[in-house]
Amino acid sequence: MGLFCRFSNFSLTIKGMVTSAIPKDQVQDLYDKCHTFVRKETVASRLAGISCLGSLFVLDASLILRNESKKVLTGALCDQDERIVMRAVKALADFVAEDVTDADAATVRNSVMQLYLDKILACGYRAGDDVAIAALRLVSLVRERGQIHPQECPDLIFRLFPSLIS
C-alpha cells in the first residue's frame, strides 16, 4: 500500500477519460486506514502504516500538518525500536526530497522541518549508527534545500556529533 501511495500521483487514461490513480475523494479514506495500521501493536503493521503515511505526505503535503500525523511522527521518532525510528526518518527524508513547484507545499516542508529538527537530531544520540547516519543525511538535505538557517548548521552538526568538538 505504501509503494502504491508513493507513486500514485500519476494519471490514468481509461476509455478516453483522465483520472488520478487515487482520486482526491479517496485520499482521506486511505489516510484513515494508514492510521489503523500505525495503532496496531505489531512492528510490521506500524512500519507499514508509517510507510504509507510517508507516501501520502509526499502526495498531499497538507496531511503532515494534521494533529494525528504529528502524533505518529513524534511517537515514531522517539520509539525504542530502531526500525520504527528509521522508517519515520525515511518518511521525512522522502517528504523533504520531493521536488515541488507549489509555493504552499514548499512552505509546508519548511515548517515541518522546523517542527521535527530537534527530534531528528535526538535520533543521533540514542539510536544505532544506521539511524544516526540517516538522521544526519536528512539534516544535510534540509540544509541543502535551505529549510534551516545556514548559521545553525555547524551548531546542529556539533550537537549531533559532540565528539567532533575535541
Side-chain angles (χ1 to χ4, degrees):
M1 182 161 62
L3 282 176
F4 180 73
C5 292
R6 173 76 173 102
F7 297 103
S8 63
N9 58 350
F10 59 87
S11 298
L12 302 171
T13 303
I14 302 173
K15 295 184 181 178
M17 294 178 49
V18 178
T19 184
S20 296
I22 297 180
K24 292 279 185 196
D25 61 343
Q26 293 181 10
V27 171
Q28 180 63 47
D29 184 47
L30 191 53
Y31 178 80
D32 293 338
K33 286 180 183 175
C34 292
H35 278 285
T36 302
F37 280 98
V38 170
R39 286 189 214 88
K40 299 210 182 266
E41 290 188 28
T42 64
V43 172
S45 294
R46 291 176 62 210
L47 289 170
I50 293 167
S51 179
C52 181
L53 281 174
S55 300
L56 285 174
F57 298 154
V58 172
L59 182 64
D60 181 355
S62 68
L63 295 174
I64 201 168
L65 296 176
R66 293 185 178 180
N67 286 333
E68 307 91 34
S69 300
K70 291 176 185 178
K71 288 179 188 175
V72 168
L73 287 172
T74 298
L77 289 169
C78 299
D79 202 278
Q80 297 301 315
D81 192 315
E82 287 193 18
R83 295 171 293 179
I84 300 288
V85 177
M86 181 65 110
R87 191 63 55 97
V89 170
K90 178 162 180 10
L92 286 170
D94 288 346
F95 178 73
V96 170
E98 190 69 19
D99 287 326
V100 292
T101 55
D102 180 21
D104 291 336
T107 301
V108 169
R109 281 168 170 70
N110 293 348
S111 62
V112 164
M113 288 296 84
Q114 297 302 320
L115 180 65
Y116 294 108
L117 192 57
D118 285 344
K119 291 167 188 63
I120 295 165
L121 290 170
C123 292
Y125 287 117
R126 62 169 191 77
D129 289 346
D130 290 340
V131 175
I133 290 168
L136 182 58
R137 284 189 179 135
L138 178 53
V139 170
S140 175
L141 181 61
V142 168
R143 187 201 63 75
E144 286 173 13
R145 295 213 170 222
Q147 294 170 324
I148 58 173
H149 195 281
Q151 289 180 332
E152 288 185 42
C153 293
D155 182 49
L156 295 175
I157 301 305
F158 289 128
R159 280 195 287 166
L160 187 59
F161 295 102
S163 62
L164 294 175
I165 295 172
S166 51

PDB file of all heavy atoms in Angstrom, residues 16-37:
ATOM      1  N   GLY A  16     -10.771   7.023 -22.616  1.00  0.00           N
ATOM      2  CA  GLY A  16     -10.678   8.411 -23.031  1.00  0.00           C
ATOM      3  C   GLY A  16     -10.778   9.436 -21.917  1.00  0.00           C
ATOM      4  O   GLY A  16     -10.653  10.624 -22.152  1.00  0.00           O
ATOM      5  N   MET A  17     -11.000   8.983 -20.684  1.00  0.00           N
ATOM      6  CA  MET A  17     -11.108   9.900 -19.548  1.00  0.00           C
ATOM      7  C   MET A  17      -9.836   9.810 -18.704  1.00  0.00           C
ATOM      8  O   MET A  17      -9.345   8.729 -18.419  1.00  0.00           O
ATOM      9  CB  MET A  17     -12.322   9.562 -18.673  1.00  0.00           C
ATOM     10  CG  MET A  17     -13.645   9.778 -19.378  1.00  0.00           C
ATOM     11  SD  MET A  17     -15.081   9.318 -18.386  1.00  0.00           S
ATOM     12  CE  MET A  17     -14.763  10.110 -16.854  1.00  0.00           C
ATOM     13  N   VAL A  18      -9.297  10.963 -18.325  1.00  0.00           N
ATOM     14  CA  VAL A  18      -8.100  11.020 -17.494  1.00  0.00           C
ATOM     15  C   VAL A  18      -8.536  11.105 -16.028  1.00  0.00           C
ATOM     16  O   VAL A  18      -9.372  11.921 -15.667  1.00  0.00           O
ATOM     17  CB  VAL A  18      -7.223  12.246 -17.858  1.00  0.00           C
ATOM     18  CG1 VAL A  18      -6.006  12.328 -16.953  1.00  0.00           C
ATOM     19  CG2 VAL A  18      -6.793  12.167 -19.318  1.00  0.00           C
ATOM     20  N   THR A  19      -7.976  10.220 -15.223  1.00  0.00           N
ATOM     21  CA  THR A  19      -8.313  10.195 -13.801  1.00  0.00           C
ATOM     22  C   THR A  19      -7.049   9.946 -12.981  1.00  0.00           C
ATOM     23  O   THR A  19      -6.085   9.366 -13.485  1.00  0.00           O
ATOM     24  CB  THR A  19      -9.381   9.118 -13.502  1.00  0.00           C
ATOM     25  OG1 THR A  19      -9.745   9.198 -12.139  1.00  0.00           O
ATOM     26  CG2 THR A  19      -8.866   7.726 -13.798  1.00  0.00           C
ATOM     27  N   SER A  20      -7.037  10.373 -11.742  1.00  0.00           N
ATOM     28  CA  SER A  20      -5.902  10.122 -10.851  1.00  0.00           C
ATOM     29  C   SER A  20      -5.928   8.676 -10.394  1.00  0.00           C
ATOM     30  O   SER A  20      -6.995   8.067 -10.267  1.00  0.00           O
ATOM     31  CB  SER A  20      -5.975  11.021  -9.620  1.00  0.00           C
ATOM     32  OG  SER A  20      -5.867  12.364  -9.982  1.00  0.00           O
ATOM     33  N   ALA A  21      -4.755   8.130 -10.109  1.00  0.00           N
ATOM     34  CA  ALA A  21      -4.680   6.763  -9.608  1.00  0.00           C
ATOM     35  C   ALA A  21      -5.404   6.652  -8.268  1.00  0.00           C
ATOM     36  O   ALA A  21      -6.068   5.661  -7.994  1.00  0.00           O
ATOM     37  CB  ALA A  21      -3.228   6.329  -9.470  1.00  0.00           C
ATOM     38  N   ILE A  22      -5.251   7.664  -7.427  1.00  0.00           N
ATOM     39  CA  ILE A  22      -6.040   7.757  -6.194  1.00  0.00           C
ATOM     40  C   ILE A  22      -6.860   9.034  -6.299  1.00  0.00           C
ATOM     41  O   ILE A  22      -6.320  10.126  -6.219  1.00  0.00           O
ATOM     42  CB  ILE A  22      -5.145   7.824  -4.938  1.00  0.00           C
ATOM     43  CG1 ILE A  22      -4.339   6.565  -4.778  1.00  0.00           C
ATOM     44  CG2 ILE A  22      -6.015   8.033  -3.697  1.00  0.00           C
ATOM     45  CD1 ILE A  22      -3.449   6.570  -3.556  1.00  0.00           C
ATOM     46  N   PRO A  23      -8.153   8.889  -6.507  1.00  0.00           N
ATOM     47  CA  PRO A  23      -8.998  10.082  -6.585  1.00  0.00           C
ATOM     48  C   PRO A  23      -8.937  10.877  -5.283  1.00  0.00           C
ATOM     49  O   PRO A  23      -8.798  10.310  -4.200  1.00  0.00           O
ATOM     50  CB  PRO A  23     -10.411   9.507  -6.809  1.00  0.00           C
ATOM     51  CG  PRO A  23     -10.181   8.127  -7.358  1.00  0.00           C
ATOM     52  CD  PRO A  23      -8.899   7.660  -6.745  1.00  0.00           C
ATOM     53  N   LYS A  24      -9.032  12.194  -5.404  1.00  0.00           N
ATOM     54  CA  LYS A  24      -8.927  13.082  -4.242  1.00  0.00           C
ATOM     55  C   LYS A  24      -9.912  12.703  -3.137  1.00  0.00           C
ATOM     56  O   LYS A  24      -9.595  12.805  -1.960  1.00  0.00           O
ATOM     57  CB  LYS A  24      -9.161  14.535  -4.655  1.00  0.00           C
ATOM     58  CG  LYS A  24      -8.074  15.102  -5.525  1.00  0.00           C
ATOM     59  CD  LYS A  24      -6.913  15.534  -4.676  1.00  0.00           C
ATOM     60  CE  LYS A  24      -5.877  16.210  -5.568  1.00  0.00           C
ATOM     61  NZ  LYS A  24      -4.607  16.332  -4.936  1.00  0.00           N
ATOM     62  N   ASP A  25     -11.105  12.232  -3.520  1.00  0.00           N
ATOM     63  CA  ASP A  25     -12.107  11.902  -2.504  1.00  0.00           C
ATOM     64  C   ASP A  25     -11.782  10.615  -1.745  1.00  0.00           C
ATOM     65  O   ASP A  25     -12.407  10.317  -0.731  1.00  0.00           O
ATOM     66  CB  ASP A  25     -13.508  11.830  -3.122  1.00  0.00           C
ATOM     67  CG  ASP A  25     -13.637  10.764  -4.197  1.00  0.00           C
ATOM     68  OD1 ASP A  25     -12.598  10.292  -4.718  1.00  0.00           O
ATOM     69  OD2 ASP A  25     -14.778  10.400  -4.521  1.00  0.00           O
ATOM     70  N   GLN A  26     -10.782   9.856  -2.197  1.00  0.00           N
ATOM     71  CA  GLN A  26     -10.406   8.621  -1.508  1.00  0.00           C
ATOM     72  C   GLN A  26      -9.133   8.765  -0.677  1.00  0.00           C
ATOM     73  O   GLN A  26      -8.760   7.855   0.053  1.00  0.00           O
ATOM     74  CB  GLN A  26     -10.231   7.494  -2.520  1.00  0.00           C
ATOM     75  CG  GLN A  26     -11.539   7.101  -3.171  1.00  0.00           C
ATOM     76  CD  GLN A  26     -11.361   5.967  -4.155  1.00  0.00           C
ATOM     77  OE1 GLN A  26     -10.311   5.346  -4.239  1.00  0.00           O
ATOM     78  NE2 GLN A  26     -12.406   5.692  -4.916  1.00  0.00           N
ATOM     79  N   VAL A  27      -8.464   9.894  -0.757  1.00  0.00           N
ATOM     80  CA  VAL A  27      -7.225  10.102  -0.005  1.00  0.00           C
ATOM     81  C   VAL A  27      -7.499  10.055   1.493  1.00  0.00           C
ATOM     82  O   VAL A  27      -6.759   9.426   2.252  1.00  0.00           O
ATOM     83  CB  VAL A  27      -6.539  11.429  -0.408  1.00  0.00           C
ATOM     84  CG1 VAL A  27      -5.389  11.758   0.519  1.00  0.00           C
ATOM     85  CG2 VAL A  27      -6.045  11.346  -1.842  1.00  0.00           C
ATOM     86  N   GLN A  28      -8.586  10.665   1.940  1.00  0.00           N
ATOM     87  CA  GLN A  28      -8.919  10.667   3.374  1.00  0.00           C
ATOM     88  C   GLN A  28      -9.145   9.241   3.879  1.00  0.00           C
ATOM     89  O   GLN A  28      -8.688   8.875   4.959  1.00  0.00           O
ATOM     90  CB  GLN A  28     -10.148  11.527   3.643  1.00  0.00           C
ATOM     91  CG  GLN A  28     -10.559  11.571   5.107  1.00  0.00           C
ATOM     92  CD  GLN A  28      -9.497  12.193   6.002  1.00  0.00           C
ATOM     93  OE1 GLN A  28      -8.963  13.240   5.686  1.00  0.00           O
ATOM     94  NE2 GLN A  28      -9.196  11.551   7.117  1.00  0.00           N
ATOM     95  N   ASP A  29      -9.839   8.425   3.101  1.00  0.00           N
ATOM     96  CA  ASP A  29     -10.088   7.041   3.498  1.00  0.00           C
ATOM     97  C   ASP A  29      -8.780   6.270   3.629  1.00  0.00           C
ATOM     98  O   ASP A  29      -8.571   5.525   4.592  1.00  0.00           O
ATOM     99  CB  ASP A  29     -11.016   6.368   2.486  1.00  0.00           C
ATOM    100  CG  ASP A  29     -11.383   4.951   2.885  1.00  0.00           C
ATOM    101  OD1 ASP A  29     -11.745   4.749   4.063  1.00  0.00           O
ATOM    102  OD2 ASP A  29     -11.294   4.053   2.028  1.00  0.00           O
ATOM    103  N   LEU A  30      -7.888   6.467   2.682  1.00  0.00           N
ATOM    104  CA  LEU A  30      -6.582   5.809   2.726  1.00  0.00           C
ATOM    105  C   LEU A  30      -5.761   6.312   3.905  1.00  0.00           C
ATOM    106  O   LEU A  30      -5.094   5.527   4.593  1.00  0.00           O
ATOM    107  CB  LEU A  30      -5.843   6.052   1.409  1.00  0.00           C
ATOM    108  CG  LEU A  30      -4.595   5.245   1.151  1.00  0.00           C
ATOM    109  CD1 LEU A  30      -4.842   3.753   1.303  1.00  0.00           C
ATOM    110  CD2 LEU A  30      -4.067   5.529  -0.242  1.00  0.00           C
ATOM    111  N   TYR A  31      -5.829   7.599   4.171  1.00  0.00           N
ATOM    112  CA  TYR A  31      -5.147   8.204   5.321  1.00  0.00           C
ATOM    113  C   TYR A  31      -5.634   7.554   6.624  1.00  0.00           C
ATOM    114  O   TYR A  31      -4.843   7.192   7.489  1.00  0.00           O
ATOM    115  CB  TYR A  31      -5.417   9.706   5.305  1.00  0.00           C
ATOM    116  CG  TYR A  31      -4.820  10.492   6.448  1.00  0.00           C
ATOM    117  CD1 TYR A  31      -3.483  10.856   6.448  1.00  0.00           C
ATOM    118  CD2 TYR A  31      -5.612  10.902   7.516  1.00  0.00           C
ATOM    119  CE1 TYR A  31      -2.944  11.601   7.495  1.00  0.00           C
ATOM    120  CE2 TYR A  31      -5.085  11.651   8.548  1.00  0.00           C
ATOM    121  CZ  TYR A  31      -3.750  11.997   8.531  1.00  0.00           C
ATOM    122  OH  TYR A  31      -3.220  12.728   9.566  1.00  0.00           O
ATOM    123  N   ASP A  32      -6.947   7.381   6.749  1.00  0.00           N
ATOM    124  CA  ASP A  32      -7.517   6.744   7.938  1.00  0.00           C
ATOM    125  C   ASP A  32      -7.066   5.295   8.075  1.00  0.00           C
ATOM    126  O   ASP A  32      -6.769   4.826   9.177  1.00  0.00           O
ATOM    127  CB  ASP A  32      -9.043   6.811   7.907  1.00  0.00           C
ATOM    128  CG  ASP A  32      -9.583   8.229   8.027  1.00  0.00           C
ATOM    129  OD1 ASP A  32      -8.853   9.114   8.536  1.00  0.00           O
ATOM    130  OD2 ASP A  32     -10.729   8.457   7.593  1.00  0.00           O
ATOM    131  N   LYS A  33      -6.996   4.580   6.963  1.00  0.00           N
ATOM    132  CA  LYS A  33      -6.539   3.185   7.006  1.00  0.00           C
ATOM    133  C   LYS A  33      -5.082   3.097   7.453  1.00  0.00           C
ATOM    134  O   LYS A  33      -4.707   2.194   8.191  1.00  0.00           O
ATOM    135  CB  LYS A  33      -6.721   2.526   5.638  1.00  0.00           C
ATOM    136  CG  LYS A  33      -8.152   2.213   5.319  1.00  0.00           C
ATOM    137  CD  LYS A  33      -8.301   1.574   3.961  1.00  0.00           C
ATOM    138  CE  LYS A  33      -9.773   1.344   3.662  1.00  0.00           C
ATOM    139  NZ  LYS A  33     -10.006   0.835   2.328  1.00  0.00           N
ATOM    140  N   CYS A  34      -4.270   4.043   7.006  1.00  0.00           N
ATOM    141  CA  CYS A  34      -2.865   4.062   7.433  1.00  0.00           C
ATOM    142  C   CYS A  34      -2.765   4.232   8.943  1.00  0.00           C
ATOM    143  O   CYS A  34      -1.964   3.569   9.602  1.00  0.00           O
ATOM    144  CB  CYS A  34      -2.104   5.194   6.744  1.00  0.00           C
ATOM    145  SG  CYS A  34      -1.881   4.959   4.984  1.00  0.00           S
ATOM    146  N   HIS A  35      -3.611   5.092   9.496  1.00  0.00           N
ATOM    147  CA  HIS A  35      -3.608   5.305  10.945  1.00  0.00           C
ATOM    148  C   HIS A  35      -4.050   4.056  11.693  1.00  0.00           C
ATOM    149  O   HIS A  35      -3.599   3.812  12.812  1.00  0.00           O
ATOM    150  CB  HIS A  35      -4.467   6.506  11.321  1.00  0.00           C
ATOM    151  CG  HIS A  35      -3.745   7.793  11.144  1.00  0.00           C
ATOM    152  ND1 HIS A  35      -2.776   8.227  12.011  1.00  0.00           N
ATOM    153  CD2 HIS A  35      -3.807   8.726  10.162  1.00  0.00           C
ATOM    154  CE1 HIS A  35      -2.293   9.372  11.599  1.00  0.00           C
ATOM    155  NE2 HIS A  35      -2.894   9.696  10.471  1.00  0.00           N
ATOM    156  N   THR A  36      -4.918   3.262  11.080  1.00  0.00           N
ATOM    157  CA  THR A  36      -5.328   1.993  11.691  1.00  0.00           C
ATOM    158  C   THR A  36      -4.118   1.084  11.847  1.00  0.00           C
ATOM    159  O   THR A  36      -3.926   0.451  12.891  1.00  0.00           O
ATOM    160  CB  THR A  36      -6.404   1.308  10.824  1.00  0.00           C
ATOM    161  OG1 THR A  36      -7.511   2.189  10.678  1.00  0.00           O
ATOM    162  CG2 THR A  36      -6.860   0.010  11.451  1.00  0.00           C
ATOM    163  N   PHE A  37      -3.267   1.029  10.837  1.00  0.00           N
ATOM    164  CA  PHE A  37      -2.065   0.200  10.908  1.00  0.00           C
ATOM    165  C   PHE A  37      -1.080   0.733  11.950  1.00  0.00           C
ATOM    166  O   PHE A  37      -0.464  -0.026  12.679  1.00  0.00           O
ATOM    167  CB  PHE A  37      -1.365   0.134   9.543  1.00  0.00           C
ATOM    168  CG  PHE A  37      -1.989  -0.842   8.602  1.00  0.00           C
ATOM    169  CD1 PHE A  37      -2.881  -0.401   7.632  1.00  0.00           C
ATOM    170  CD2 PHE A  37      -1.685  -2.182   8.679  1.00  0.00           C
ATOM    171  CE1 PHE A  37      -3.457  -1.302   6.759  1.00  0.00           C
ATOM    172  CE2 PHE A  37      -2.263  -3.100   7.805  1.00  0.00           C
ATOM    173  CZ  PHE A  37      -3.161  -2.653   6.837  1.00  0.00           C
TER     174      PHE A  37
END
